[in-house]
Amino acid sequence: MPSTLEIDQTGYRQICKEYDLPIFYQPWWLDAVCIQGQWRAIWVKNKKGIVEGIWPYCIQKHWGFTRIVTPMLTPMLGPWLFYPYAEKLDRSTRDFEFSVYPELIEQFPLASMIQVKCPPQLKNWLPFAWTGFKQTTRYSFVLSDLANLQTLFSHFSPKVRNHIQAASSLLKLNMHVTDSLLELYRLMELTFAKKRLKMPFSLAFLQKLDTAVTENAQRQIITVADQDGKIHAAAYVLYDKTTAYLLLLGSNPSIRHRGAISLAIWEAIQQASRKVGSFDFEGSMLPGAAKVFAMFGGDMQPYFMLTRFKNHALNVAYQWLRG
């Protein structure tokens, strides 16, 4: 007899076949990033059986506490609504959200801690505030129109343009290196080591995710190397139907040409322009990354991180552990 978890995942998998959702909401993605496949989903249907909203979530258990979090390397995973009209009029949008969000929240499990990064689609978080959630605004940088590369390049900062031109004459691009995933991970390790930080995920985790991506979607690993074959920088770009995501970026701090990262990003943007309409710079909350990505002329796109604790004591303990 199938378990409740299996029934729940089966229902969600069917919804994903019938509705268009971002790549990070796909069941195969959740299977790869959630430890031991520990994810669930809730949804709301109207009287006609049409799905109006879904909310997949990842479950983690530590020392007897249950946490619901956005999994590693997943930029967003929160409530997603299917608006029933083409033109989203303000009042109609608000009424729909005030109807569906509370129904999703009512179904959501009571965990020790909930902390999820929501999609930019979620702009009205009042229903969550009313049920004890706290909100933190975060940002990514997005190039929303890739149609004219010449115009895009002209909007880059002079510093970035100069770096790209300088690197182009000294370094070479490669998108077909068989062991480029290993090289990318190695470069990221070097970057984290220089900052005296530990890598937040293992090579095995990245390989598992990459296998799922190559079986179900599109990705490119772009490397930038010198004439001796030494790799200076590498970028991991992920695609869904509408957007390219700069999921990972690594470089070798000891030999990196100052234009290597800019050249890798520029090549990623050019490649993306042939497939999708927008380019999302992920990981843009880090000060160094935000300054670099801002120089590529993208728009700052806000999104919400929603947090809720089961009780005040857990909130205090969490803040204390964070230092």
Side-chain angles (χ1 to χ4, degrees), residues 127-134 307-309:
F128 300 90
W130 295 334
T131 53
F133 281 90
K134 304 297 182 182
T307 305
R308 188 174 75 182
F309 292 90

Side-chain angles (χ1 to χ4, degrees), residues 247-289:
L247 195 67
L248 298 169
L249 192 64
S251 64
N252 188 332
S254 62
I255 65 168
R256 181 183 68 210
H257 184 280
R258 64 181 182 178
I261 290 177
S262 295
L263 182 60
I265 294 174
W266 174 226
E267 180 63 24
I269 293 170
Q270 293 180 88
Q271 293 291 327
S273 70
R274 301 168 189 170
K275 301 178 181 180
V276 293
S278 63
F279 188 91
D280 194 335
F281 296 83
E282 291 298 342
S284 309
M285 288 301 293
L286 298 174

Side-chain angles (χ1 to χ4, degrees), residues 288-308:
K291 291 178 181 179
V292 171
F293 297 159
M295 290 191 291
F296 283 85
D299 297 322
M300 290 181 67
Q301 183 179 77
Y303 64 93
F304 296 150
M305 182 166 70
L306 298 177
T307 305
R308 188 174 75 182

Side-chain angles (χ1 to χ4, degrees), residues 140-213:
S140 183
F141 288 87
V142 178
L143 296 170
S144 57
D145 186 359
L146 305 181
N148 192 320
L149 290 174
Q150 186 174 354
T151 300
L152 276 178
F153 191 80
S154 70
H155 290 166
F156 292 174
S157 74
K159 183 177 181 180
V160 165
R161 293 200 301 268
N162 291 338
H163 281 179
I164 292 172
Q165 291 166 351
S168 297
S169 62
L170 296 174
L171 304 174
K172 60 181 181 179
L173 295 157
N174 196 330
M175 289 168 286
H176 304 286
V177 182
T178 55
D179 61 348
S180 53
L181 189 70
L182 298 176
E183 291 292 347
L184 170 65
Y185 190 83
R186 183 182 66 84
L187 293 178
M188 294 187 69
E189 281 187 313
L190 292 173
T191 302
F192 273 79
K194 185 176 179 63
K195 297 177 180 179
R196 297 185 179 181
L197 297 173
K198 184 180 178 181
M199 278 289 288
F201 55 88
S202 67
L203 175 59
F205 178 88
L206 179 59
Q207 288 173 324
K208 178 185 176 184
L209 177 58
D210 186 65
T211 297
V213 170

